[in-house]
Amino acid sequence: TVGMVSVLSDITRQKELERMKTGFVASVSHELRTPLIAIDKSLQLILSKTTGSLTETQEQFLTIAERNLKRLSRLIDDLLDMSKLEAGKMTLKRQPASLEKIIADSVFALDNWAKTKFITIEKNVAAALPEVNVDADRLTQILNNLMGNAIKFTPAHGTITVTAAVKKPGEVEISVRDTGIGISPENLGKVFDKFYQVGERVSTDISGTGLGLSIVKELVELHGGKIWVDSDKGQGTTFTFTLPV
């Protein structure tokens, strides 16, 4: 060695801006939730016809408003979750849970949406799966995100299969496979990036923030697992993640 060059960069200001940004997102997201809850309860009250009868047109427009309000709530939840994960403040409420029941509940919750697109959701869960020590709500969020993505990118009469089995001692492997449009090789490495959305959907599908898969990856890793994706353009996509038993 005949010499050395050192380059020093002061990132104090950069770190401070990052901290301020995270705090701002969390604060604004919380503030938005209060009026959204009030609007949601009001719409539910009107749609239940407790306040009086509705014409068919009124009910149609109120239903559209309610659906978009729920979409906005999901976007805000994504922003809150991401700000918590970035700040290292996301905590898991772990307890032993039945993986079979969590999967069944998630499939049941999304089945109606899938049916509106003529998509079938199938379960292939191994018998006598061991209980997993997880945050059941967060695991449900992981499954809902993965199955929701599959529904968005799968054409009519397609199939989504949720599989769970013990592939290695002390580890459960869960996968969500679809017969959708697939992901091109150049985009595979970007699917877990923040704000990045891959693929083509019809204009009537529900769009998102591009945070869903990034949050999924963070939550899986927070549980001590890992996640990956396999796909070929036009041949469908499989997201697989592991959880320690």
Side-chain angles (χ1 to χ4, degrees):
T1 303
V2 293
M4 184 179 75
V5 175
S6 292
V7 179
L8 305 178
S9 301
D10 186 354
I11 60 167
T12 306
R13 181 61 179 162
Q14 183 182 332
K15 289 284 188 183
E16 178 65 16
L17 287 171
E18 189 69 23
R19 187 190 64 78
M20 288 171 64
K21 181 211 75 174
T22 303
F24 174 75
V25 169
S27 176
V28 169
S29 300
H30 263 297
E31 290 300 319
L32 285 171
R33 266 184 163 176
T34 305
L36 282 179
I37 291 169
I39 296 167
D40 183 43
K41 296 301 178 188
S42 299
L43 283 172
Q44 285 180 25
L45 197 63
I46 296 169
L47 282 168
S48 68
K49 299 180 182 176
T50 307
T51 57
S53 59
L54 296 170
T55 67
E56 188 178 336
T57 305
Q58 287 172 331
E59 190 168 357
Q60 181 184 354
F61 280 113
L62 285 167
T63 302
I64 292 170
E66 185 186 40
R67 186 167 66 245
N68 279 279
L69 187 70
K70 290 187 187 305
R71 177 189 165 201
L72 183 57
S73 295
R74 284 194 296 270
L75 299 182
I76 290 170
D77 287 342
D78 280 353
L79 286 171
L80 268 174
D81 285 342
M82 185 50 67
S83 65
K84 283 180 186 177
L85 288 164
E86 284 183 339
K89 293 180 179 178
M90 177 72 77
T91 55
L92 299 178
K93 298 174 183 175
R94 290 176 181 266
Q95 58 184 9
S98 164
L99 190 57
E100 187 176 0
K101 184 181 184 306
I102 293 172
I103 291 173
D105 289 345
S106 290
V107 170
F108 179 77
L110 294 176
D111 196 45
N112 279 339
W113 178 19
K115 283 177 179 173
T116 63
K117 293 189 68 181
F118 305 101
I119 293 169
T120 304
I121 302 180
E122 298 177 348
K123 288 183 297 175
N124 183 15
V125 179
L129 275 180
E131 285 193 330
V132 284
N133 191 36
V134 294
D135 185 324
D137 289 337
R138 293 301 177 184
L139 181 53
T140 299
Q141 184 179 356
I142 291 167
L143 288 167
N144 287 353
N145 260 309
L146 294 177
M147 283 193 284
N149 258 12
I151 292 170
K152 290 175 189 176
F153 294 105
T154 300
H157 309 294
T159 304
I160 295 166
T161 306
V162 185
T163 304
V166 175
K167 296 291 182 74
K168 295 179 183 177
E171 186 178 87
V172 177
E173 190 173 289
I174 303 110
S175 67
V176 177
R177 178 171 56 86
D178 64 57
T179 57
I181 59 174
I183 304 169
S184 56
E186 63 269 20
N187 286 325
L188 267 180
K190 303 173 186 175
V191 293
F192 296 113
D193 291 354
K194 295 172 194 170
F195 305 110
Y196 192 84
Q197 292 179 304
V198 183
E200 308 90 19
R201 287 172 300 187
V202 294
S203 58
T204 54
D205 273 345
I206 300 169
S207 59
T209 55
L211 288 173
L213 289 177
S214 179
I215 291 170
V216 162
K217 184 175 184 291
E218 296 274 0
L219 289 175
V220 167
E221 290 176 353
L222 208 57
H223 276 91
K226 57 184 178 181
I227 186 168
W228 63 93
V229 58
D230 298 295
S231 183
D232 288 308
K233 192 70 175 173
Q235 300 297 316
T237 303
T238 303
F239 282 93
T240 307
F241 67 96
T242 60
L243 291 173
V245 175

